[in-house]
Amino acid sequence: MYSCYSCGKTYSLLEPRWRCDCGGFLTLPENAPFHRETFANRGYSIWRYRESYFLPPQAPSVSLGEGWTPIVSERIDGMEVRFKLDYLMPSGSFKDRGASVLVSLCKALGIEELVEDSSGNAGAAMAAYCAIAGIKCRIFAPAYTPDGKLIQTRLYGAEVVKVPGTRQDTNDAVLRAAAATYYGSHLWNPYFVQGHMSAAFELWEQLRGEVPHSLILPLGSGGYLEGIFRGFRTLHLAGLVRTIPRLIGVQAHHCRPLHEAFLLGLDEGAPVEVKPTLAEGIAVSRPPRAAAVLEAVRRSGGTILSVSEDSIRAAHGLLLRYGFFAEPTSAVALAGWLQLPPSERENSVILLTGHGLKESEKIAKMHGL
Ligand SMILES: [Zn+2]
């Protein structure tokens, strides 16, 4: 059963629905099933934990083997820190976790065509999973989006619809299209969030039950953070962990609606002036699920930081020196970690979210090559 975060109205999971009639976003129950004995003999992908996603029983696993990304330990600034390399995914970003689960739901509902608006990792991930599921995928993007950003999406076979005008015009166009098809939105759909729970389950298994003090990740729309929180809540409710990590979301200073909201104690994203940032992947000025994301950060005892463009560039350079070829957006997490007082840096895991090969030309320019 879906329920609306704003008004509490409930809907059947078999309805092809992406938000409440009141305009609020939908959530799934918090008490997801999680039984060690059911997954012990399964392979190492996010589908090891399939019962936890609340998919209809007839849902297939639309999978490219995503998940179980490595955790690598390094010493930076005299302190040990672990990185989870979530950029090592089939389409090159953590978004494969969400896309795999959402497209599996679409398959179960008999959806033959969907629309989505993303010119970045989410669009590429949705295009990849729709391709293998045989679902027609149309990705809407503002006309000003450079063609290079949409190549991967196009090559997977998705139709790209460029919309003249602002980001809001693209948003309006995709909603009009959604009225006749299905809106497979990485920003709105709770099943996209549900897929991200797998990162928490993997951390728990890979670290053999140890719970890190902090998890630090780039924060844009916040679906990744919300999903990881839900994953650790599931483990907690199952009696498998006593505490959950502090979740520390990091935004770019140039686009920080959630950072401002956190500082001001708001339950919604704050209106902010947005400037261009190297961390394009998290430049989301009005995240629709902001209320759930802020709640997750607060309940975990975590915080939201913002970092400057210079510190993103420097942190990205540091990642390269350690051999991590991540996209610039991923570097905000390390920049955030470096901003913490040393006592709060201990026992942290930093999540690296997108592959640098997607943006090698931008990275070359960024470092003066
Ligand atoms: Zn509602």
Side-chain angles (χ1 to χ4, degrees), residues 3-11 19-26:
S3 57
C4 171
Y5 191 90
S6 302
C7 74
K9 188 169 177 187
T10 57
Y11 299 94
R19 72 174 168 188
C20 178
D21 290 337
C22 82
F25 63 86
L26 301 173

Side-chain angles (χ1 to χ4, degrees), residues 168-205:
Q168 187 58 44
D169 292 324
T170 298
N171 198 39
D172 296 343
V174 80
L175 291 188
R176 280 194 300 276
T181 55
Y182 180 73
Y183 188 23
S185 173
H186 70 288
L187 296 176
W188 284 88
N189 202 299
Y191 278 95
F192 204 89
V193 173
Q194 210 70 352
H196 297 150
M197 293 166 76
S198 57
F201 303 150
E202 289 171 24
L203 280 159
W204 173 74
E205 277 204 87

Side-chain angles (χ1 to χ4, degrees), residues 3-180:
S3 57
C4 171
Y5 191 90
S6 302
C7 74
K9 188 169 177 187
T10 57
Y11 299 94
S12 160
L13 296 178
L14 298 176
E15 251 187 78
R17 166 173 287 282
W18 57 274
R19 72 174 168 188
C20 178
D21 290 337
C22 82
F25 63 86
L26 301 173
T27 59
L28 291 163
E30 222 175 58
N31 58 340
F34 189 87
H35 304 294
R36 231 192 286 223
E37 52 284 10
T38 57
F39 64 71
N41 297 317
R42 293 182 185 162
Y44 291 92
S45 80
I46 69 163
W47 291 98
R48 199 169 161 77
Y49 318 106
R50 71 163 289 144
E51 288 78 11
S52 302
Y53 306 140
F54 284 121
L55 284 165
Q58 74 274 23
S61 306
V62 179
S63 175
L64 288 160
E66 57 292 317
W68 273 79
T69 52
I71 297 176
V72 178
S73 195
E74 297 290 352
R75 274 193 90 74
I76 295 184
D77 238 12
M79 193 167 281
E80 192 186 327
V81 58
R82 286 171 287 192
F83 292 90
K84 184 158 171 67
L85 311 188
D86 243 16
Y87 62 92
L88 297 178
M89 285 280 192
S91 85
S93 86
F94 76 98
K95 296 250 163 80
D96 289 354
R97 297 182 185 278
S100 176
V101 171
L102 176 54
V103 174
S104 300
L105 171 76
C106 293
K107 216 46 198 166
L109 299 181
I111 287 164
E112 292 175 351
E113 181 182 356
L114 62 80
V115 293
E116 151 78 314
D117 48 334
S118 160
S119 49
N121 290 328
M126 286 301 289
Y129 286 86
C130 282
I132 57 164
I135 293 175
K136 186 169 181 256
C137 176
R138 270 190 297 155
I139 302 286
F140 287 63
Y144 57 77
T145 310
D147 285 333
K149 284 196 73 178
L150 297 161
I151 289 174
Q152 188 187 8
T153 296
R154 279 206 168 103
L155 288 174
Y156 280 133
E159 181 192 340
V160 170
V161 182
K162 283 200 162 185
V163 182
T166 62
R167 181 70 182 77
Q168 187 58 44
D169 292 324
T170 298
N171 198 39
D172 296 343
V174 80
L175 291 188
R176 280 194 300 276

Side-chain angles (χ1 to χ4, degrees), residues 219 248-251 258-259 262-263 293-294 297 302-306:
L219 185 64
I248 302 180
V250 188
Q251 300 213 285
L258 297 175
H259 176 228
F262 188 80
L263 291 182
V293 179
L294 290 160
V297 171
T303 188
I304 300 178
L305 308 172
S306 75

